């Protein structure tokens, strides 16, 4: 980058005297800047024309000229960054900002949070990692799942925190009396982000491709085919009733992309930049529902800001800070909630581990102080004794006389809190005469985990979306955990039971049937919840409309900034 090179050369000129006037030769400056004398003269001329310094040469070879500085490198960097941002060159601004964490925080502070740039309301969010590519279907990260809901639309959607689906690309739908035909009536004025009109046949094509993915095929196993029965109607033909169908279509994984351009959607925001250091969303002017109040959202991928040694308050994925995390005086907590999602522990019963031994292990976790003494940040997690509100774990008598196996194997995946949980459990069981082998699967899901087949205990987390009961139904259907956790007959019976539950047209019957399934899994010591997270979002003054959703983020369409000087 040309500007960064110019800044680096200016810093080399400045550094020896820390900005004080210098008596120096051209030869010395050329050596300092690792360039020829001819090139350093060009640098001096350009810097002088820009008003950065003054250079007074003296005639005669080897004579010392006078170099005076008018701006500091830091102020010059800020000026360059501001100019890059105003001209829409966010990449250049981020490249200019690549500093040590303690310097980067102060440098980025004026540019984070809510800003009006060229009369465009923009929200900038520092983020701790690069984002995985967005595409329809299952995505492992919570941030990616949230973004998919902002960029892509589905036939149906969840409105706010409601657990019941409503219309999106389809304005409404009807179901035949036998539950085998679902008619989705498509809006007539829909446009892709590239400006093309959305055709119902394109939606049918995108849905067919989506359902061909292995996990999605499992989720929609009741769908026989999808037909365009009218230019404004998509018909799902099922081989067995599935009254979760509108819920399945409303989740993030069922959002639809253009059949020819997989990053082109029709949601409230379009992707204008998607790169490892910057993700930029811009509002979609032809969006079919309520238009966003912000013009642009930017994720500045700045891992340096999340260094644990810096004591920043924004170092965990469930704690989002819009603006500089270390500026606690200006940031305010605008929304917080206890997530319905949970970290869990499952136990595979076998000749190595009986049901009674599994129950004793669960008693150890919930009746000891294990969950309450995890050395984690205060306010980050809350131990739980409910899978969902009202779905309580069973209570068993004292089982301390039940001998534990001599050896067990635990496999777990992210989040990082399970590192601590695994270590604590290993130490506790060692005191009970049980040697626990701990294996970490470095991923957010069980996909590709080869150790599941031999594990006795598994730990992971389950994100709960807008419809808690349905989300758990989807977990049982699609997660790679269950075929390894249950015997083949037990797994087949589970899937058959889920099929029976989905045929219930009444919501209350489906929820009751699903609760009975999970109660059985908990009563037989196959599954127990461990703890919930405390979601929180902090923002600087002037950023409004921030309200936590069920994924621990906020709806980008509702955020807004008052005009400057308002």
């Amino acid at each position: 980058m040309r500007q960064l090179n110019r800044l680096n050369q200016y810093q080399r000129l400045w550094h020896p005297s820390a900005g004080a006037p210098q008596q120096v030769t051209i030869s010395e400056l050329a050596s300092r800047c690792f360039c020829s004398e001819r090139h350093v003269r060009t640098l001096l001329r350009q810097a002088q024309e820009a008003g950065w310094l003054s250079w007074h040469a003296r005639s005669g070879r080897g004579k010392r000229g006078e170099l005076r500085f008018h701006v500091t490198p830091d102020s010059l960097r800020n000026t360059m960054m501001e100019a890059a941002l105003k001209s829409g060159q966010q990449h250049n601004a981020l490249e200019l900002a690549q500093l040590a964490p303690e310097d980067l925080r102060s440098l980025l502070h004026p540019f984070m949070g809510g800003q009006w740039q060229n009369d465009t309301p923009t929200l900038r969010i520092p983020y701790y990692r690069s984002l995985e590519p967005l595409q329809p279907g299952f995505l492992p990260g919570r941030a990616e799942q949230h973004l998919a809901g902002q960029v892509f639309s589905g036939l149906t959607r969840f409105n706010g925190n409601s657990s019941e689906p409503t219309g999106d690309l389809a304005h409404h739908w009807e179901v035949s009396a036998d539950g085998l035909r679902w008619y989705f009536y498509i809006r007539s004025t829909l446009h892709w982000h590239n400006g093309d009109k959305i055709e119902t046949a394109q939606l049918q094509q995108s849905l067919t491709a989506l359902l061909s993915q292995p996990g999605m095929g499992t989720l929609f196993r009741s769908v026989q085919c999808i037909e365009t029965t009218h230019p404004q109607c998509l018909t799902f033909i099922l081989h067995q009733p599935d009254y979760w169908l509108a819920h399945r279509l409303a989740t993030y994984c069922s959002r639809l992309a253009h059949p020819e351009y997989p990053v082109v959607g029709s949601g409230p925001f379009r992707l204008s930049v998607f790169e490892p250091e910057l993700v930029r969303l811009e509002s979609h002017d032809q969006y079919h529902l309520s238009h966003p109040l912000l013009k642009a959202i930017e994720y500045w991928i700045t891992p340096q800001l999340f260094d644990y040694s810096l004591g920043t308050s924004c170092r965990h994925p469930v704690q989002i800070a819009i603006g500089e995390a270390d500026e606690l005086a200006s940031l305010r907590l605008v929304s917080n909630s206890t997530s319905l999602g949970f970290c869990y522990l499952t136990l595979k019963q076998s000749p190595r581990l009986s049901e009674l031994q599994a129950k004793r292990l669960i008693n150890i976790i919930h009746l000891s102080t294990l969950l309450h003494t995890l050395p984690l940040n205060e306010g980050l997690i809350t131990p739980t004794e409910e899978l969902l509100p009202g779905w309580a774990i069973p209570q068993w008598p004292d089982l301390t006389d039940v001998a534990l196996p001599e050896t067990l194997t635990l496999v777990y995946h992210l989040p990082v809190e399970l590192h601590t949980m695994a270590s604590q459990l290993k130490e506790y069981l060692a005191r009970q005469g049980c040697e626990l082998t701990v294996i970490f699967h470095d991923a957010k899901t069980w996909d590709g985990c080869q150790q599941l087949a031999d594990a006795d205990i598994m730990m992971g987390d389950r994100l709960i979306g807008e419809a808690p009961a349905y989300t758990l139904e989807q977990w049982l259907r699609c997660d790679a955990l269950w075929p390894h956790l249950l015997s083949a007959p037990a797994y087949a019976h589970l899937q058959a039971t889920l099929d029976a539950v989905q045929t219930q047209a009444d919501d209350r019957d489906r929820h009751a049937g699903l609760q009975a399934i999970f109660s059985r899994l908990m009563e037989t010591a196959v599954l127990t919840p461990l703890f919930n997270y405390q979601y929180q979002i902090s923002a600087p003054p002037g950023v409004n409309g921030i309200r936590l959703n069920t994924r621990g983020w906020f709806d980008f369409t509702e955020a807004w900034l008052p005009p400057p000087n308002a």
Side-chain angles (χ1 to χ4, degrees):
M1 174 188 167
R2 188 174 179 182
Q3 277 193 314
L4 183 59
N5 290 335
R6 293 180 67 191
L7 176 63
N8 288 337
Q9 294 289 49
Y10 186 76
Q11 287 179 310
R12 293 187 181 107
L13 296 173
W14 165 284
H15 181 70
S17 65
Q22 300 177 15
Q23 302 295 321
V24 65
T25 67
I26 285 290
S27 176
E28 290 170 342
L29 293 177
S31 176
R32 192 184 301 169
C33 293
F34 307 103
C35 64
S36 66
E37 293 184 12
R38 178 179 179 182
H39 186 61
V40 84
R41 287 191 177 94
T42 301
L43 289 176
L44 291 171
R45 176 177 54 80
Q46 291 175 342
Q48 186 160 274
E49 290 173 353
W52 302 351
L53 54 75
S54 297
W55 167 248
H56 301 286
R58 294 181 63 186
S59 59
R61 185 169 182 80
K63 294 291 186 179
R64 294 184 177 276
E66 183 180 61
L67 186 60
R68 289 183 174 272
F69 300 94
H70 305 317
V71 295
T72 67
D74 285 345
S75 65
L76 181 57
R77 186 187 297 266
N78 280 340
T79 300
M80 287 181 169
M81 284 183 63
E82 187 170 359
L85 288 169
K86 286 183 177 179
S87 61
Q89 298 173 339
Q90 291 86 354
H91 290 93
N92 291 352
L94 280 169
E95 190 166 348
L96 283 163
Q98 297 309 305
L99 296 172
E102 57 273 14
D103 297 324
L104 185 60
R105 291 201 309 276
S106 60
L107 186 62
L108 290 185
H109 175 64
F111 304 107
M112 288 300 185
Q115 301 283 327
W116 281 77
Q117 297 286 340
N118 293 335
D119 296 325
T120 297
T122 302
L123 193 63
R124 294 194 177 97
I125 303 171
Y127 204 59
Y128 74 105
R129 64 172 175 86
S130 295
L131 297 172
E132 298 294 326
L134 292 188
Q135 58 188 17
F138 291 115
L139 295 166
R142 189 165 51 89
E144 286 84 354
Q145 294 176 16
H146 173 68
L147 277 179
Q150 304 293 305
V151 172
F152 303 109
S153 301
L155 290 187
T156 59
R157 65 194 292 266
F158 293 109
N159 190 13
N161 289 334
S162 171
S163 61
E164 292 303 312
T166 187
D168 193 353
L169 295 173
H171 52 82
H172 75 283
W173 62 92
E174 295 176 349
V175 185
S176 63
D178 60 5
L180 296 178
R181 285 181 174 264
W182 291 61
Y183 305 95
F184 291 88
Y185 300 102
I186 309 302
R187 299 178 192 270
S188 58
T189 56
L190 299 172
H191 291 83
W192 299 109
H193 289 157
N194 63 2
D196 292 350
K197 188 177 185 300
I198 293 178
E199 304 291 343
T200 303
Q202 290 178 313
L203 300 180
Q204 189 267 348
Q205 185 179 349
S206 293
L207 279 162
T208 301
L210 184 68
L211 268 57
S212 69
Q213 297 182 19
M216 297 300 294
T218 301
L219 187 63
F220 288 91
R221 60 186 295 178
S222 299
V223 176
Q224 179 176 314
C225 62
I226 305 169
E227 297 181 354
T228 304
T229 50
H230 181 273
Q232 300 303 133
C233 180
L234 273 179
T235 301
F236 282 67
I237 301 173
L238 312 184
H239 58 75
Q240 63 179 357
D242 181 6
Y243 287 95
W244 292 118
L245 183 61
H247 292 75
R248 301 193 198 283
L249 292 169
T251 53
Y252 82 89
C253 59
S254 301
R255 302 300 174 97
L256 301 177
H258 192 293
E260 298 176 19
Y261 309 107
V263 296
V264 174
S266 58
F269 288 90
R270 64 180 181 87
L271 279 175
S272 64
V273 178
F274 195 93
E275 298 191 356
E277 70 277 4
L278 177 70
V279 173
R280 179 178 168 89
L281 311 180
E282 295 180 358
S283 61
H284 176 31
D285 293 338
Q286 294 175 295
Y287 183 51
H288 50 281
L289 298 177
S290 178
H291 281 215
L293 304 175
L294 291 172
K295 181 63 178 177
I297 305 282
E298 292 178 355
Y299 286 70
W300 284 31
I301 314 300
T302 50
Q304 305 98 310
L305 294 182
F306 298 86
D307 189 321
Y308 275 73
S309 65
L310 299 177
T312 168
S313 68
C314 185
R315 65 189 184 187
H316 194 279
V318 303
Q319 298 175 331
I320 301 167
I322 304 165
E324 273 307 302
D326 65 316
E327 296 290 337
L328 298 180
S330 62
L331 290 182
R332 73 200 193 285
L333 181 66
V334 294
S335 191
N336 69 301
S337 67
T338 300
S339 74
L340 290 181
F342 50 83
C343 283
Y344 62 83
L345 181 142
T346 59
L347 301 107
K348 180 164 58 180
Q349 293 163 25
S350 68
R352 292 197 303 269
L353 181 67
S354 69
E355 180 177 325
L356 204 57
Q357 290 171 322
K359 288 180 177 179
R360 189 191 168 191
L361 281 168
I362 291 176
N363 268 3
I364 286 173
I365 290 168
H366 287 289
L367 300 182
S368 71
T369 59
L370 189 63
L371 288 175
H372 298 271
T373 56
L374 294 178
L376 301 172
N377 291 345
E378 185 178 354
L380 180 63
I381 65 171
T382 300
T384 184
E385 295 188 351
E386 292 183 314
L387 198 68
L388 289 179
W391 295 23
I393 65 173
Q395 302 295 318
W396 296 309
D398 179 40
L399 298 171
T400 53
D401 292 337
V402 176
L404 294 175
E406 292 183 1
T407 61
L408 289 171
T409 299
L410 164 68
V411 177
Y412 69 100
H413 65 62
L414 293 168
V416 295
E417 284 68 34
L418 292 182
H419 291 319
T420 306
M421 181 68 193
S423 176
Q424 296 278 84
L425 189 58
K426 180 181 177 72
E427 292 180 10
Y428 194 99
L429 292 186
R431 295 195 293 271
Q432 311 300 314
C434 175
E435 180 184 354
L436 184 66
T437 299
V438 173
I439 300 171
F440 172 52
H441 176 56
D442 190 8
K444 297 183 178 72
T445 71
W446 293 115
D447 293 343
C449 181
Q450 301 298 318
Q451 295 85 2
L452 273 179
D454 298 320
D456 303 297
I457 307 172
M458 302 88 154
M459 291 195 304
D461 81 328
R462 183 69 249 164
L463 177 66
I464 296 297
E466 295 85 350
Y470 164 71
T471 302
L472 292 183
E473 196 269 359
Q474 178 177 302
W475 183 31
L476 293 180
R477 279 209 182 274
C478 300
D479 199 291
L481 169 70
W482 301 101
H484 292 282
L485 180 63
L486 302 173
S487 67
Y491 182 70
H493 181 265
L494 171 65
Q495 297 301 312
T497 306
L498 292 175
D499 287 346
V501 169
Q502 76 177 32
T503 64
Q504 302 298 314
D506 187 89
D507 289 344
R508 291 168 298 182
D509 292 339
R510 288 201 310 281
H511 286 217
L514 197 60
Q515 183 175 356
I517 293 173
F518 276 99
S519 293
R520 178 65 179 164
L521 290 171
M522 290 191 289
E523 287 166 2
T524 55
V526 172
L527 166 69
T528 192
L530 299 175
F531 51 78
N532 304 108
Y533 281 111
Q534 295 294 319
Y535 288 154
Q536 68 181 48
I537 296 180
S538 300
V543 179
N544 302 291
I546 305 296
R547 179 170 55 86
L548 268 170
N549 61 21
T550 55
R551 297 186 185 275
W553 279 88
F554 60 98
D555 190 339
F556 290 165
T557 64
E558 296 179 358
W560 62 279
L561 304 173
N565 304 318

